[in-house]
Amino acid sequence: MSEKQLELYNGEIVEAEDKPVYTMSDAALAQRRENAAAMRANQDRLQFIADVARIGKKADTKDPESMFQCFLEYLDLAAERGERIGNITAYTAMGISKRTAEYWAYGQFGGRDPRFKQLINYVQAVCGAYRETLALSNKIHPALAIFWQRNYDGLTNEDILRIETEDPLGELTDKKTIKDKYADLIED
């Protein structure tokens, strides 16, 4: 049985006259498959981000342990989905912004509690180690690795001169020892 091509003619569907059935070229079919695969990959990535945001909604941002558990859940989700990890998505999973993480890293605001600073330092170290393994295994371009290390991991090409200073009072640290040492200088 041969296929009949139909067409719209004067508002009616009629059988077409001896026209070949339209077929797509192999190149056009390949392009459509490629576009469909790209759309699926984009949808998967968007779903991953939505799931990360849902993890962040569960985080109690006043409790570093709750945020740590959300970070671990984020790592598990990334491993399960085959997604790469990063600082900003990690912060999102913990229910905070990059700016908040920076404040805490410097001991400001909630970061006055040392547990918040420790948490952020830990998250940054994990993300930095992950990026470093990507760079070492040639999974990312070296320029991207350098950019990430400079912007997220604190690396620089500039020499930093650090001078270790001694305690001006020497090894004497308790009040009584200091008072005894300088007793002759103190007038009553």
Side-chain angles (χ1 to χ4, degrees), residues 50-70:
D51 291 342
V52 168
R54 281 187 201 89
I55 292 170
K57 287 298 236 181
K58 296 187 298 186
D60 177 359
T61 57
K62 296 190 183 342
D63 178 19
E65 184 57 36
S66 166
M67 295 171 63
F68 178 68
Q69 291 307 315
C70 288

Side-chain angles (χ1 to χ4, degrees), residues 70-120:
C70 288
F71 174 66
L72 294 179
E73 189 175 337
Y74 159 67
L75 293 178
D76 290 342
L77 179 68
E80 176 186 313
R81 303 270 181 89
E83 293 286 345
R84 293 182 174 175
I85 65 168
N87 291 67
I88 294 174
T89 48
Y91 303 148
T92 301
M94 295 180 342
I96 61 172
S97 67
K98 179 181 183 289
R99 180 170 291 191
T100 298
E102 288 171 346
Y103 285 142
W104 290 356
Y106 293 107
Q108 297 172 334
F109 302 116
R112 288 188 179 106
D113 179 341
R115 298 175 304 154
F116 287 94
K117 184 175 183 174
Q118 291 167 352
L119 174 64
I120 296 303

Side-chain angles (χ1 to χ4, degrees), residues 158-187:
E158 297 175 18
D159 291 334
I160 298 173
L161 179 62
R162 289 190 174 92
I163 300 171
E164 191 172 311
T165 58
E166 292 183 26
D167 183 0
L169 300 177
E171 296 296 319
L172 309 174
T173 53
D174 67 49
K175 289 180 183 180
K176 183 176 181 339
T177 308
I178 294 170
K179 188 175 180 181
D180 291 345
K181 181 175 180 179
Y182 296 104
D184 59 326
L185 299 176
I186 300 172
E187 294 180 13

